[in-house]
Amino acid sequence: MMVAVSALALVGGCGDGGKDETAEKPVDTISMFETVASPRELVEPVIGTGTIAAVKTTELGPRVTGIIDKVFVAVGARVKAGDPLFHTRDVDIRNRVSELENQVKLAQADVRNAGRAFKRANELHDKGFVSNGGLDNAQAARDSANARLGIATAQLASAKQMLEDCTVVAPFDGVITRRDADEGKYMSTMGGMGMMGGGGGQGGQGGGGGGVMQIMKIDIVAAIVQVPEVDLSKIHVGSKGKVIIGSMNKSYDSEVYILNDLIDVKTRGVELRMPILNPDYEIKPGLFARAEIYPEPRKVLSLDRSAVQGTESLRYVYVNDAGKAKRTEITMRQIDATTVEVMSGLKAGDRALTGPNLPLIVDGTPLTIESVAAASNRAATTK
Protein backbone atom coordinates (compact mmCIF):
# COMPACT_ATOMS: atom_id res chain seq x y z
CA MET A 1 0.00 0.00 0.00
CA MET A 2 2.75 2.46 0.86
CA VAL A 3 4.47 1.71 -2.42
CA ALA A 4 1.28 2.41 -4.36
CA VAL A 5 0.80 5.76 -2.68
CA SER A 6 4.38 6.68 -3.38
CA ALA A 7 3.96 5.72 -7.00
CA LEU A 8 0.80 7.76 -7.33
CA ALA A 9 2.54 10.70 -5.71
CA LEU A 10 5.38 10.39 -8.23
CA VAL A 11 3.01 10.25 -11.14
CA GLY A 12 1.05 13.23 -9.79
CA GLY A 13 4.22 15.27 -9.55
CA CYS A 14 4.92 14.79 -13.28
CA GLY A 15 1.44 15.68 -14.43
CA ASP A 16 1.92 19.55 -14.77
CA GLY A 17 2.79 19.43 -18.46
CA GLY A 18 6.56 19.67 -17.90
CA LYS A 19 6.60 23.49 -17.40
CA ASP A 20 9.91 24.95 -16.16
CA GLU A 21 9.23 27.75 -13.64
CA THR A 22 12.78 29.07 -14.19
CA ALA A 23 12.44 29.56 -18.04
CA GLU A 24 13.02 33.22 -19.27
CA LYS A 25 9.96 35.27 -20.23
CA PRO A 26 9.93 36.81 -23.79
CA VAL A 27 11.57 40.31 -23.93
CA ASP A 28 9.41 43.16 -25.31
CA THR A 29 11.18 45.01 -28.16
CA ILE A 30 10.41 48.26 -29.95
CA SER A 31 10.15 48.25 -33.73
CA MET A 32 12.42 50.78 -35.45
CA PHE A 33 13.56 51.75 -38.94
CA GLU A 34 17.11 52.69 -39.95
CA THR A 35 18.43 55.47 -42.15
CA VAL A 36 21.96 55.46 -43.58
CA ALA A 37 24.51 58.28 -43.29
CA SER A 38 25.44 58.76 -46.94
CA PRO A 39 28.16 60.83 -48.66
CA ARG A 40 26.91 63.25 -51.31
CA GLU A 41 28.01 66.34 -53.22
CA LEU A 42 26.30 69.48 -52.02
CA VAL A 43 25.93 72.78 -53.88
CA GLU A 44 24.75 75.56 -51.61
CA PRO A 45 23.80 78.71 -53.55
CA VAL A 46 25.19 82.04 -52.38
CA ILE A 47 22.30 84.49 -52.28
CA GLY A 48 22.58 88.22 -53.00
CA THR A 49 20.19 91.07 -53.72
CA GLY A 50 20.63 94.23 -55.71
CA THR A 51 19.52 96.30 -58.68
CA ILE A 52 19.54 96.02 -62.46
CA ALA A 53 21.81 98.63 -64.07
CA ALA A 54 22.65 99.63 -67.63
CA VAL A 55 25.99 98.49 -68.98
CA LYS A 56 26.72 102.15 -69.88
CA THR A 57 25.20 105.41 -68.66
CA THR A 58 26.22 108.84 -69.92
CA GLU A 59 25.05 112.33 -68.98
CA LEU A 60 25.13 114.43 -72.13
CA GLY A 61 25.66 118.17 -71.94
CA PRO A 62 26.52 120.81 -74.56
CA ARG A 63 30.03 120.87 -75.98
CA VAL A 64 29.89 124.58 -76.72
CA THR A 65 28.42 127.42 -74.69
CA GLY A 66 25.18 128.83 -76.01
CA ILE A 67 21.41 128.45 -76.29
CA ILE A 68 19.91 125.03 -76.94
CA ASP A 69 17.79 125.66 -80.03
CA LYS A 70 16.83 122.12 -81.03
CA VAL A 71 16.19 118.92 -79.08
CA PHE A 72 15.58 116.02 -81.45
CA VAL A 73 14.56 113.22 -79.05
CA ALA A 74 12.27 112.65 -76.08
CA VAL A 75 12.50 110.35 -73.08
CA GLY A 76 12.10 106.74 -74.21
CA ALA A 77 13.55 107.31 -77.67
CA ARG A 78 15.74 104.47 -78.87
CA VAL A 79 18.70 105.80 -80.79
CA LYS A 80 21.64 104.50 -82.75
CA ALA A 81 25.25 105.64 -82.36
CA GLY A 82 25.68 108.87 -84.32
CA ASP A 83 22.02 109.92 -84.24
CA PRO A 84 21.64 113.69 -83.48
CA LEU A 85 20.22 114.37 -80.03
CA PHE A 86 20.27 118.16 -79.57
CA HIS A 87 21.81 121.26 -81.11
CA THR A 88 23.31 124.50 -79.77
CA ARG A 89 22.72 127.75 -81.69
CA ASP A 90 25.70 128.16 -84.04
CA VAL A 91 25.30 131.58 -85.76
CA ASP A 92 28.32 133.16 -84.07
CA ILE A 93 30.45 130.10 -84.68
CA ARG A 94 29.55 130.02 -88.37
CA ASN A 95 30.55 133.68 -88.67
CA ARG A 96 33.80 132.91 -86.90
CA VAL A 97 34.50 130.06 -89.32
CA SER A 98 33.89 132.35 -92.29
CA GLU A 99 36.22 134.99 -90.83
CA LEU A 100 38.98 132.48 -90.20
CA GLU A 101 38.65 131.01 -93.67
CA ASN A 102 39.40 134.48 -95.09
CA GLN A 103 42.30 134.89 -92.68
CA VAL A 104 43.71 131.62 -93.94
CA LYS A 105 43.42 132.89 -97.52
CA LEU A 106 45.26 136.10 -96.59
CA ALA A 107 47.96 134.10 -94.84
CA GLN A 108 48.33 131.85 -97.86
CA ALA A 109 48.77 134.92 -100.11
CA ASP A 110 51.40 136.30 -97.74
CA VAL A 111 53.21 132.98 -97.82
CA ARG A 112 53.26 132.99 -101.61
CA ASN A 113 54.56 136.58 -101.76
CA ALA A 114 57.15 135.99 -99.07
CA GLY A 115 58.26 132.83 -100.84
CA ARG A 116 58.74 134.61 -104.18
CA ALA A 117 60.59 137.49 -102.46
CA PHE A 118 62.95 135.10 -100.75
CA LYS A 119 63.59 133.27 -104.02
CA ARG A 120 64.52 136.54 -105.81
CA ALA A 121 66.66 137.66 -102.89
CA ASN A 122 68.47 134.34 -102.92
CA GLU A 123 69.18 134.61 -106.68
CA LEU A 124 70.46 138.20 -106.34
CA HIS A 125 72.52 137.20 -103.32
CA ASP A 126 74.26 134.58 -105.45
CA LYS A 127 75.11 137.34 -107.97
CA GLY A 128 76.29 139.67 -105.25
CA PHE A 129 73.48 142.20 -105.53
CA VAL A 130 71.88 141.43 -102.13
CA SER A 131 73.77 141.44 -98.89
CA ASN A 132 73.66 138.68 -96.33
CA GLY A 133 71.47 140.86 -94.14
CA GLY A 134 69.00 141.40 -96.98
CA LEU A 135 68.80 137.65 -97.58
CA ASP A 136 68.22 137.03 -93.87
CA ASN A 137 65.39 139.57 -93.84
CA ALA A 138 63.71 137.86 -96.82
CA GLN A 139 64.02 134.49 -95.15
CA ALA A 140 62.57 135.83 -91.89
CA ALA A 141 59.62 137.34 -93.76
CA ARG A 142 58.97 134.01 -95.45
CA ASP A 143 59.14 132.11 -92.15
CA SER A 144 56.83 134.63 -90.45
CA ALA A 145 54.28 134.26 -93.25
CA ASN A 146 54.36 130.48 -92.88
CA ALA A 147 53.88 130.78 -89.10
CA ARG A 148 50.89 133.12 -89.51
CA LEU A 149 49.38 130.65 -91.96
CA GLY A 150 49.87 127.87 -89.43
CA ILE A 151 48.14 129.88 -86.69
CA ALA A 152 45.23 130.82 -88.94
CA THR A 153 44.84 127.21 -90.11
CA ALA A 154 44.78 125.94 -86.50
CA GLN A 155 42.22 128.54 -85.48
CA LEU A 156 40.04 127.59 -88.44
CA ALA A 157 40.24 123.91 -87.54
CA SER A 158 39.24 124.73 -83.96
CA ALA A 159 36.28 126.81 -85.12
CA LYS A 160 35.11 124.06 -87.46
CA GLN A 161 35.31 121.55 -84.62
CA MET A 162 33.19 123.88 -82.46
CA LEU A 163 30.69 124.10 -85.30
CA GLU A 164 30.54 120.32 -85.49
CA ASP A 165 30.22 120.11 -81.70
CA CYS A 166 27.08 122.22 -81.79
CA THR A 167 25.25 119.01 -82.67
CA VAL A 168 25.57 116.38 -79.95
CA VAL A 169 25.09 112.83 -81.21
CA ALA A 170 24.48 109.52 -79.47
CA PRO A 171 27.81 108.00 -78.40
CA PHE A 172 26.36 104.46 -78.61
CA ASP A 173 23.15 102.57 -79.33
CA GLY A 174 20.81 103.15 -76.42
CA VAL A 175 17.68 104.68 -74.99
CA ILE A 176 17.06 108.20 -73.68
CA THR A 177 16.17 107.83 -70.01
CA ARG A 178 16.06 111.46 -68.87
CA ARG A 179 15.77 114.93 -70.39
CA ASP A 180 16.71 117.95 -68.30
CA ALA A 181 16.50 120.85 -70.75
CA ASP A 182 14.29 122.19 -73.51
CA GLU A 183 14.83 124.60 -76.38
CA GLY A 184 15.77 128.14 -75.36
CA LYS A 185 17.85 127.21 -72.34
CA TYR A 186 21.28 128.87 -72.15
CA MET A 187 23.94 126.40 -71.06
CA SER A 188 27.62 126.85 -70.41
CA THR A 189 30.41 124.33 -70.69
CA MET A 190 32.21 126.02 -67.80
CA GLY A 191 31.73 125.62 -64.07
CA GLY A 192 30.00 122.23 -63.84
CA MET A 193 26.85 123.25 -61.96
CA GLY A 194 26.27 126.02 -64.50
CA MET A 195 25.20 123.29 -66.90
CA MET A 196 22.43 122.11 -64.62
CA GLY A 197 19.11 123.76 -64.37
CA GLY A 198 15.42 123.62 -64.02
CA GLY A 199 13.81 122.83 -67.37
CA GLY A 200 11.87 119.68 -66.63
CA GLY A 201 11.57 118.65 -70.25
CA GLN A 202 9.46 115.73 -71.42
CA GLY A 203 9.48 113.20 -68.65
CA GLY A 204 12.44 114.93 -67.06
CA GLN A 205 13.28 114.72 -63.41
CA GLY A 206 14.03 118.35 -62.76
CA GLY A 207 17.61 119.53 -63.06
CA GLY A 208 19.13 116.50 -61.40
CA GLY A 209 21.26 115.51 -64.36
CA GLY A 210 24.60 116.61 -65.71
CA GLY A 211 23.33 118.54 -68.70
CA VAL A 212 20.64 118.14 -71.32
CA MET A 213 19.81 114.44 -71.24
CA GLN A 214 20.85 110.98 -70.14
CA ILE A 215 21.41 107.98 -72.41
CA MET A 216 21.72 104.35 -71.32
CA LYS A 217 22.99 101.33 -73.19
CA ILE A 218 20.66 98.52 -72.15
CA ASP A 219 20.98 95.86 -74.85
CA ILE A 220 23.13 94.36 -72.10
CA VAL A 221 22.23 95.01 -68.47
CA ALA A 222 23.93 93.90 -65.28
CA ALA A 223 22.62 92.84 -61.91
CA ILE A 224 24.71 94.70 -59.33
CA VAL A 225 24.24 92.67 -56.15
CA GLN A 226 25.81 92.32 -52.74
CA VAL A 227 26.57 89.00 -51.08
CA PRO A 228 27.76 88.48 -47.48
CA GLU A 229 31.52 88.69 -47.03
CA VAL A 230 31.48 85.27 -45.32
CA ASP A 231 30.65 83.77 -48.73
CA LEU A 232 33.51 85.51 -50.53
CA SER A 233 35.74 82.42 -50.48
CA LYS A 234 33.05 80.38 -52.26
CA ILE A 235 32.76 82.52 -55.40
CA HIS A 236 35.07 83.88 -58.08
CA VAL A 237 34.92 85.56 -61.47
CA GLY A 238 33.26 83.03 -63.76
CA SER A 239 31.10 81.38 -61.08
CA LYS A 240 27.82 80.33 -62.68
CA GLY A 241 24.58 81.69 -61.35
CA LYS A 242 21.08 82.93 -61.97
CA VAL A 243 19.43 86.34 -61.74
CA ILE A 244 15.79 86.33 -60.63
CA ILE A 245 13.63 89.39 -61.30
CA GLY A 246 10.50 88.89 -59.24
CA SER A 247 8.49 91.72 -60.74
CA MET A 248 8.86 90.09 -64.17
CA ASN A 249 8.47 86.57 -62.82
CA LYS A 250 11.54 85.58 -64.83
CA SER A 251 15.04 84.29 -64.22
CA TYR A 252 18.14 84.53 -66.39
CA ASP A 253 21.26 82.37 -66.46
CA SER A 254 24.41 84.40 -65.92
CA GLU A 255 27.81 84.34 -64.25
CA VAL A 256 29.98 86.55 -62.07
CA TYR A 257 31.64 88.95 -64.51
CA ILE A 258 33.06 91.50 -62.05
CA LEU A 259 33.93 90.91 -58.40
CA ASN A 260 34.67 94.12 -56.53
CA ASP A 261 37.79 94.06 -54.37
CA LEU A 262 36.28 96.53 -51.90
CA ILE A 263 34.25 95.25 -48.94
CA ASP A 264 31.44 97.54 -47.78
CA VAL A 265 32.28 98.17 -44.12
CA LYS A 266 28.68 99.13 -43.31
CA THR A 267 26.89 96.13 -44.77
CA ARG A 268 29.80 93.68 -44.58
CA GLY A 269 28.99 92.74 -48.15
CA VAL A 270 30.94 92.39 -51.37
CA GLU A 271 29.63 93.72 -54.68
CA LEU A 272 29.53 91.64 -57.83
CA ARG A 273 28.06 92.12 -61.29
CA MET A 274 26.24 89.57 -63.42
CA PRO A 275 25.44 90.52 -67.06
CA ILE A 276 22.22 89.67 -68.90
CA LEU A 277 21.59 89.96 -72.63
CA ASN A 278 18.63 92.30 -73.20
CA PRO A 279 18.24 92.76 -76.99
CA ASP A 280 14.55 93.73 -76.79
CA TYR A 281 15.08 96.17 -73.88
CA GLU A 282 12.57 94.19 -71.83
CA ILE A 283 14.62 94.41 -68.63
CA LYS A 284 14.59 97.95 -67.25
CA PRO A 285 17.41 99.53 -65.21
CA GLY A 286 16.39 100.03 -61.60
CA LEU A 287 14.49 96.76 -61.18
CA PHE A 288 15.08 94.83 -57.95
CA ALA A 289 16.94 91.57 -58.53
CA ARG A 290 17.95 88.53 -56.54
CA ALA A 291 20.97 86.48 -57.52
CA GLU A 292 21.90 82.88 -56.84
CA ILE A 293 25.55 82.00 -57.40
CA TYR A 294 26.53 78.35 -57.46
CA PRO A 295 29.97 77.57 -56.00
CA GLU A 296 31.85 74.35 -56.65
CA PRO A 297 30.12 71.33 -55.00
CA ARG A 298 31.61 69.99 -51.78
CA LYS A 299 31.41 66.49 -50.31
CA VAL A 300 29.29 66.08 -47.15
CA LEU A 301 27.88 63.27 -45.01
CA SER A 302 24.10 63.58 -45.13
CA LEU A 303 21.49 62.08 -42.83
CA ASP A 304 17.71 62.12 -42.67
CA ARG A 305 16.64 64.91 -40.31
CA SER A 306 14.06 62.63 -38.65
CA ALA A 307 16.81 60.58 -36.95
CA VAL A 308 18.22 63.56 -35.03
CA GLN A 309 17.22 64.18 -31.42
CA GLY A 310 18.18 66.76 -28.79
CA THR A 311 18.54 70.52 -28.61
CA GLU A 312 20.63 73.08 -30.45
CA SER A 313 23.42 72.69 -27.91
CA LEU A 314 23.37 68.87 -27.83
CA ARG A 315 22.37 66.79 -30.84
CA TYR A 316 22.37 62.98 -30.85
CA VAL A 317 21.08 59.91 -32.68
CA TYR A 318 20.45 56.31 -31.68
CA VAL A 319 22.17 53.42 -33.42
CA ASN A 320 21.58 49.67 -33.22
CA ASP A 321 24.21 48.08 -30.99
CA ALA A 322 23.70 44.29 -30.96
CA GLY A 323 19.93 44.62 -30.82
CA LYS A 324 19.84 47.48 -28.33
CA ALA A 325 19.64 51.25 -28.75
CA LYS A 326 22.84 53.17 -28.22
CA ARG A 327 22.88 56.97 -28.00
CA THR A 328 25.59 58.69 -30.08
CA GLU A 329 26.28 62.43 -29.95
CA ILE A 330 26.82 64.24 -33.24
CA THR A 331 27.51 67.72 -34.57
CA MET A 332 25.47 68.79 -37.56
CA ARG A 333 24.13 71.62 -39.63
CA GLN A 334 20.88 71.91 -41.50
CA ILE A 335 20.95 71.38 -45.28
CA ASP A 336 17.21 71.64 -45.89
CA ALA A 337 13.95 70.76 -44.16
CA THR A 338 14.55 67.00 -44.42
CA THR A 339 18.34 66.58 -44.46
CA VAL A 340 21.27 67.50 -42.23
CA GLU A 341 25.03 67.44 -42.72
CA VAL A 342 26.80 65.32 -40.10
CA MET A 343 30.16 66.85 -39.27
CA SER A 344 31.17 64.47 -36.47
CA GLY A 345 29.85 61.44 -34.59
CA LEU A 346 29.04 59.21 -37.58
CA LYS A 347 30.87 57.94 -40.63
CA ALA A 348 29.67 56.98 -44.08
CA GLY A 349 27.52 53.84 -43.97
CA ASP A 350 26.55 54.14 -40.30
CA ARG A 351 22.85 53.59 -39.65
CA ALA A 352 20.77 55.76 -37.34
CA LEU A 353 17.42 54.72 -35.89
CA THR A 354 14.27 56.44 -37.02
CA GLY A 355 10.56 55.92 -37.19
CA PRO A 356 7.43 56.79 -35.21
CA ASN A 357 8.68 54.93 -32.13
CA LEU A 358 11.88 56.99 -31.85
CA PRO A 359 10.61 59.06 -28.86
CA LEU A 360 10.03 55.78 -26.92
CA ILE A 361 13.62 54.54 -26.84
CA VAL A 362 16.52 55.27 -24.49
CA ASP A 363 19.98 53.79 -24.09
CA GLY A 364 19.68 50.01 -23.90
CA THR A 365 16.12 49.67 -25.25
CA PRO A 366 15.73 46.28 -27.01
CA LEU A 367 15.04 46.71 -30.70
CA THR A 368 13.47 45.04 -33.66
CA ILE A 369 14.75 46.50 -36.92
CA GLU A 370 12.20 46.56 -39.72
CA SER A 371 12.40 47.72 -43.28
CA VAL A 372 10.08 50.49 -44.38
CA ALA A 373 8.81 48.30 -47.22
CA ALA A 374 7.88 45.44 -44.87
CA ALA A 375 6.05 47.78 -42.53
CA SER A 376 4.13 49.27 -45.44
CA ASN A 377 3.11 45.82 -46.70
CA ARG A 378 1.95 44.76 -43.25
CA ALA A 379 -0.09 47.93 -42.88
CA ALA A 380 -1.70 47.33 -46.28
CA THR A 381 -2.74 43.73 -45.42
CA THR A 382 -4.38 44.79 -42.15
CA LYS A 383 -6.71 47.26 -43.82
Side-chain angles (χ1 to χ4, degrees), residues 164-246:
E164 182 179 337
D165 288 345
C166 286
T167 300
V168 175
V169 300
F172 44 74
D173 294 355
V175 61
I176 304 303
T177 53
R178 197 180 68 235
R179 177 170 154 181
D180 296 322
D182 290 323
E183 291 86 351
K185 183 177 179 61
Y186 179 85
M187 302 193 77
S188 172
T189 59
M190 305 295 291
M193 292 298 291
M195 293 172 57
M196 301 170 60
Q202 297 181 28
Q205 301 177 7
V212 179
M213 62 183 58
Q214 180 187 72
I215 181 173
M216 288 185 173
K217 181 176 176 63
I218 61 172
D219 55 346
I220 300 175
V221 294
I224 303 177
V225 300
Q226 272 202 349
V227 298
E229 65 171 285
V230 295
D231 293 322
L232 181 58
S233 62
K234 302 177 185 177
I235 57 179
H236 55 82
V237 173
S239 291
K240 302 299 181 182
K242 180 187 297 183
V243 177
I244 300 104
I245 304 177

Side-chain angles (χ1 to χ4, degrees), residues 236-271:
H236 55 82
V237 173
S239 291
K240 302 299 181 182
K242 180 187 297 183
V243 177
I244 300 104
I245 304 177
S247 60
M248 298 176 62
N249 197 27
K250 290 186 177 181
S251 63
Y252 302 87
D253 292 333
S254 186
E255 64 180 45
V256 177
Y257 185 71
I258 295 175
L259 185 60
N260 199 331
D261 292 317
L262 178 65
I263 304 296
D264 190 318
V265 297
K266 293 182 180 179
T267 64
R268 308 314 308 177
V270 58
E271 180 189 280

Side-chain angles (χ1 to χ4, degrees), residues 302-330:
S302 65
L303 183 70
D304 194 303
R305 178 69 178 80
S306 64
V308 180
Q309 300 284 291
T311 63
E312 288 291 336
S313 59
L314 179 61
R315 296 292 191 183
Y316 59 89
V317 297
Y318 286 104
V319 298
N320 179 18
D321 182 19
K324 294 183 179 181
K326 179 182 178 181
R327 177 168 145 167
T328 302
E329 293 184 6
I330 64 169

Side-chain angles (χ1 to χ4, degrees), residues 13-48:
C14 295
D16 59 357
K19 290 183 179 179
D20 186 357
E21 296 294 339
T22 63
E24 292 185 4
K25 295 181 179 180
V27 176
D28 291 333
T29 61
I30 293 182
S31 178
M32 299 295 298
F33 303 134
E34 287 183 321
T35 183
V36 181
S38 306
R40 60 178 277 195
E41 286 192 339
L42 178 64
V43 176
E44 295 177 293
V46 174
I47 306 299

